[in-house]
Amino acid sequence: PGKLYLGIDAGTQSTKALVYDANQRAVVGRGAVSYEIIESDVVGRAEQDPAVWVDAMWRACREALADAGGDAASRICGIGVSGQQHGLVALDASYEVIRPAKLWCDTESAEEAAELSKSLPVPIVASFTASKLLWLKRHEAAAWARLAHVALPHDYLNYVLTGELVMEGSDASGIGLLDVGARTWDASAARLVDAELLDKLPPLIGPG
């Protein structure tokens, strides 16, 4: 039997999983679980509970492995995770989720995005995570006080899988606080949000 690889994609409307057979160069198992954005009357708000993604990930993976059949689970030799960018997953010191995640399509932070754009090297829009962080600081003081770690949606799923919170450089560019040339966090940009934010951003890694 050939080596199998498990791919997971966490989207805004569903999480999908597939099993890829490297010898056959073919997908041999698929699974998907759909979910909704939390209903809200607040204009511009788009949020989801990260626990929904975790549940969907496990269910989609079980479905994909069952679809692959046989001893597929024991033959998995690598897992890749992708997902929606920009969303803010706010975690406390114990890596517990503080509040529902604000998604890329959440535009409540339009005012903060416009303000940050005046000082950042590259203008940002409300989709970018930096604006959501400043919004959280201004509108939810209790949540901000608990904030210890910042994650994107699939970073959080990677943390659930591995126990380690890191962020890939190209994903980090969607936060709005990355020095793209140096591929490091821009300390001066982070201070525009908060003097202590830099310590709450995850370590950066390369792809792979």
Side-chain angles (χ1 to χ4, degrees), residues 141-166:
W144 180 262
R146 291 179 59 197
L147 181 69
H149 305 284
V150 175
L152 298 176
H154 58 291
D155 297 331
Y156 179 66
L157 293 182
N158 277 326
Y159 168 75
V160 170
L161 290 168
T162 68
E164 183 177 3
L165 181 62
V166 295

Side-chain angles (χ1 to χ4, degrees), residues 86-157:
H86 306 300
L88 170 60
V89 183
L91 305 173
D92 67 14
S94 299
Y95 296 90
E96 295 296 325
V97 175
I98 295 171
R99 67 175 315 285
K102 298 192 80 63
L103 305 183
W104 63 271
C105 50
D106 184 297
T107 58
E108 277 196 277
S109 58
E111 182 178 331
E112 286 77 14
E115 178 181 331
L116 290 171
S117 292
K118 295 176 182 177
S119 301
L120 290 171
V122 179
I124 65 170
V125 295
S127 294
F128 277 58
T129 322
S131 71
K132 303 179 193 303
L133 285 162
L134 186 54
W135 181 93
L136 184 68
K137 179 181 178 179
R138 289 179 171 172
H139 294 271
E140 297 185 2
W144 180 262
R146 291 179 59 197
L147 181 69
H149 305 284
V150 175
L152 298 176
H154 58 291
D155 297 331
Y156 179 66
L157 293 182

Side-chain angles (χ1 to χ4, degrees), residues 116 119-121 130 175-180 182-201 204:
L116 290 171
S119 301
L120 290 171
I175 286 187
L177 305 175
L178 183 72
D179 181 329
V180 177
R183 295 185 71 83
T184 60
W185 294 117
D186 185 331
S188 61
R191 283 194 295 271
L192 294 174
V193 177
D194 187 80
E196 299 179 357
L197 178 60
L198 188 63
D199 294 333
K200 301 174 183 182
L201 300 174
L204 298 175

